[in-house]
Amino acid sequence: MSAVTPDQLHDDHHHHGPTGLMRWITTTNHKDIGTMYLIFSFIMFLSGGVMALTIRAELFKPGLQIVQPEFFNQLTTMHGLVMVFGAIMPAFVGFANWMLPLMIGASDMAFARMNNWSFWLLPVAAILLISSFFVPGGATAAGWTLYAPLSVQMGMGMDLTIFAVHIMGISSIMGAINIVVTVLNMRAPGMTMMKMPLFCWTWLITAYLLIAVMPVLAGAVTMILTDRHFGTSFFNAAGGGDPVLYQHVFWFFGHPEVYIMILPAFGIVSEIIPTFARKPLFGYASMVYATASIAILSFVVWAHHMFTTGMPAATQLFFMYATMLIAVPTGVKVFNWVATMWRGSMTFETPMLWATGFIFVFTMGGFTGLICAIAPIDIQVQDTYYVVAHFHYVLVAGSLFALFAGAYYWLPKWTGYMYSEFIGKLHFWCSIIFFNITFFPMHFLGLAGMPRRIPDYALQFADFNALASIGAFGFGLSQLIFIVAVVKCVRGDGKKAAASPWEDAHGLEWTVPSPAPHHTFETPPVVK
Ligand code: CU
């Protein structure tokens, strides 16, 4: 085992391949591909962010001022699609590519060439999606959920969107297969499943979710495609079909998709909290089982998105109680994070700020989720800004904050240099303050009855909308701080990071249950 050092395993310099642009196009190196996923997802995050800011500019005050209603609807739709499929999902795949092989002691991902293809499909899909703004009729305006019958009737922007969704789905499925095979087959000797860092577990379970539900989404949009062009009537009542069927198929994908976007975030937070609390993760095994329970339950709650479609009361009750049941394993996780911090010797470097910010604000999104799960309340807040507030607490303060936590945590590992704590903390505090200014007022707007996906509104909603728009521009500008932090880190402005940066700084790097074996992310464990 001592013949090959981990540095040689991961060394690019001994690789006599193409250079320059061709190196990036043809690379099979998991670190290169991870980097490309992260850069791609950040570009998409900025694109989706520009759309969000255009939406918030229009909603700054009542009356139409910046965009026409048709274009506004295209913006809300494309903002959702770009953020979900372009920003959040690929960002987590980028983390998986970078960290999974290092964490389990594998030389690379199992299918290195397929990995390259998985990535390069994404820019193609993104170009298709964005170019739909420029075709006759513009981008699809059916909402990111692409509900029939509207999506069946939209212009050719919808066809580009369907094609883009298919390509992104292929990319996701291949990425997921790669992760499953890597984690199950490529662990170093001694790295048993229950010794894996929790990030590996959360991604393994997420990969199974992806393999199970991405084909369902592909089926849903294919049925729209054939309804549009091949004379079928899956969702056309006049032809014997049912538009509500689309909602069932879509949300059978859509609810597990919510956990695809949050389980890897749970994994990242579960790596960071122990490091900065200087204690091993509390309840490692229960974290694994809670993650699996959430994933399994996520398949039987889909119709909580459809309480107003005329379901029988008994069906509503089933989906209401099943949804509430998910709060149990999620509560186990939050309890375990807090128990990990309990009596820990905590410090609040930038990754820990993002991770604790995640727990606090994401949990608020969890609570409003429970409120939306109550069928009689949901019927009141359906399609209002309350729902918009809820899922932005989950996806921004949840998924996005965890991504930033992980980025600051592993930037020293990725670049070889420490980032600036001042810049990182500035980024965090600006983000969490402006995030709450943007989205907290939306709870009140929703409870007062303001509908979502509407370019104009009654005068009574003016004050909270102005506040939300100010918050949104503050939040958007705050993200430029992250660019500064990353550029300075990559340029090597900070001090040099050790092979195990946080262990170097703190003397501890707990990632596995007590007693924690020595683990640096770079040294494959060896059985003596
Ligand atoms: Cu759901």
Side-chain angles (χ1 to χ4, degrees), residues 102-125:
L102 300 186
M103 285 177 162
I104 63 172
S107 56
D108 204 311
M109 296 295 284
F111 304 117
R113 293 185 183 190
M114 189 171 83
N115 204 15
N116 172 290
W117 195 35
S118 301
F119 171 76
W120 280 109
L121 283 176
L122 283 180
V124 177

Side-chain angles (χ1 to χ4, degrees), residues 237-395:
D242 183 357
V244 177
L245 170 67
Y246 176 80
Q247 297 190 26
H248 280 290
V249 181
F250 178 85
W251 285 114
F252 189 81
F253 146 82
H255 191 85
E257 168 68 16
V258 172
Y259 292 99
I260 288 165
M261 291 189 284
I262 204 65
L263 294 182
F266 289 168
I268 291 174
V269 169
S270 301
E271 301 299 332
I272 292 171
I273 299 281
T275 299
F276 297 96
R278 293 166 182 75
K279 276 176 65 196
L281 184 67
F282 183 89
Y284 173 93
S286 69
M287 284 299 220
V288 173
Y289 299 132
T291 309
S293 305
I294 291 170
I296 292 163
L297 284 172
S298 77
F299 285 103
V300 294
V301 298
W302 76 89
H304 63 206
H305 297 271
M306 303 168 54
F307 283 141
T308 56
T309 55
M311 277 186 284
T315 317
Q316 292 190 31
L317 280 179
F318 169 81
F319 283 106
M320 174 169 124
Y321 291 134
T323 302
M324 290 175 158
L325 210 54
I326 297 190
V328 177
T330 310
V332 167
K333 284 180 161 290
V334 174
F335 176 86
N336 285 347
W337 291 323
V338 174
T340 305
M341 291 190 279
W342 173 251
R343 291 188 149 182
S345 172
M346 286 196 288
T347 51
F348 290 91
E349 288 85 345
T350 305
M352 185 63 159
L353 282 178
W354 285 103
T356 43
F358 166 97
I359 296 175
F360 182 46
V361 194
F362 166 79
T363 303
M364 284 179 49
F367 285 141
T368 55
L370 273 176
I371 291 166
C372 291
I374 302 166
I377 296 182
D378 183 77
I379 289 164
Q380 301 301 311
V381 297
Q382 161 96 23
D383 269 339
T384 71
Y385 260 87
Y386 192 86
V387 177
V388 177
H390 155 67
F391 71 73
H392 282 91
Y393 266 75
V394 174
L395 287 173

Side-chain angles (χ1 to χ4, degrees), residues 20-232:
L21 187 63
M22 277 311 283
R23 172 206 160 186
W24 293 98
I25 292 173
T26 61
T27 182
T28 54
N29 179 303
H30 71 101
K31 294 181 179 179
D32 286 352
I33 294 171
T35 301
M36 292 196 296
Y37 265 107
L38 292 173
I39 293 171
F40 170 81
S41 61
F42 194 71
I43 291 169
M44 295 303 278
F45 170 61
L46 295 180
S47 314
V50 168
M51 295 175 202
L53 292 184
T54 313
I55 290 167
R56 284 315 323 170
E58 175 59 51
L59 294 175
F60 179 70
K61 63 178 185 176
L64 295 178
Q65 41 259 316
I66 294 171
V67 293
Q68 291 305 304
E70 298 78 25
F71 186 57
F72 184 93
N73 292 341
Q74 294 173 27
L75 284 174
T76 56
T77 301
M78 295 295 283
H79 164 72
L81 288 169
V82 164
M83 288 304 201
V84 168
F85 294 106
I88 296 178
M89 291 170 70
F92 283 124
V93 180
F95 277 81
N97 262 292
W98 252 104
M99 299 316 297
L100 291 187
L102 300 186
M103 285 177 162
I104 63 172
S107 56
D108 204 311
M109 296 295 284
F111 304 117
R113 293 185 183 190
M114 189 171 83
N115 204 15
N116 172 290
W117 195 35
S118 301
F119 171 76
W120 280 109
L121 283 176
L122 283 180
V124 177
I127 290 166
L128 277 171
L129 200 58
I130 303 282
S131 66
S132 69
F133 272 118
F134 305 103
V135 299
T140 182
W144 86 276
T145 51
L146 308 174
Y147 274 9
L150 192 52
S151 54
V152 177
Q153 294 156 356
M154 289 263 125
M156 75 171 282
M158 185 64 203
D159 297 311
L160 291 173
T161 300
I162 292 171
F163 197 13
V165 167
H166 275 135
I167 294 174
M168 291 185 290
I170 293 168
S171 165
S172 285
I173 292 168
M174 290 196 300
I177 290 171
N178 220 339
I179 286 165
V180 169
V181 176
T182 304
V183 169
L184 293 185
N185 287 341
M186 306 229 344
R187 280 169 290 121
M191 177 60 77
T192 60
M193 294 293 280
M194 292 307 275
K195 276 186 182 165
M196 290 197 303
L198 209 75
F199 181 65
C200 305
W201 262 114
T202 56
W203 240 120
L204 177 66
I205 292 165
T206 301
Y208 276 107
L209 286 181
L210 277 166
I211 293 168
V213 301
M214 291 312 288
V216 177
L217 175 65
V221 298
T222 303
M223 285 191 275
I224 291 177
L225 188 74
T226 61
D227 269 15
R228 287 168 63 81
H229 298 298
F230 300 97
T232 58

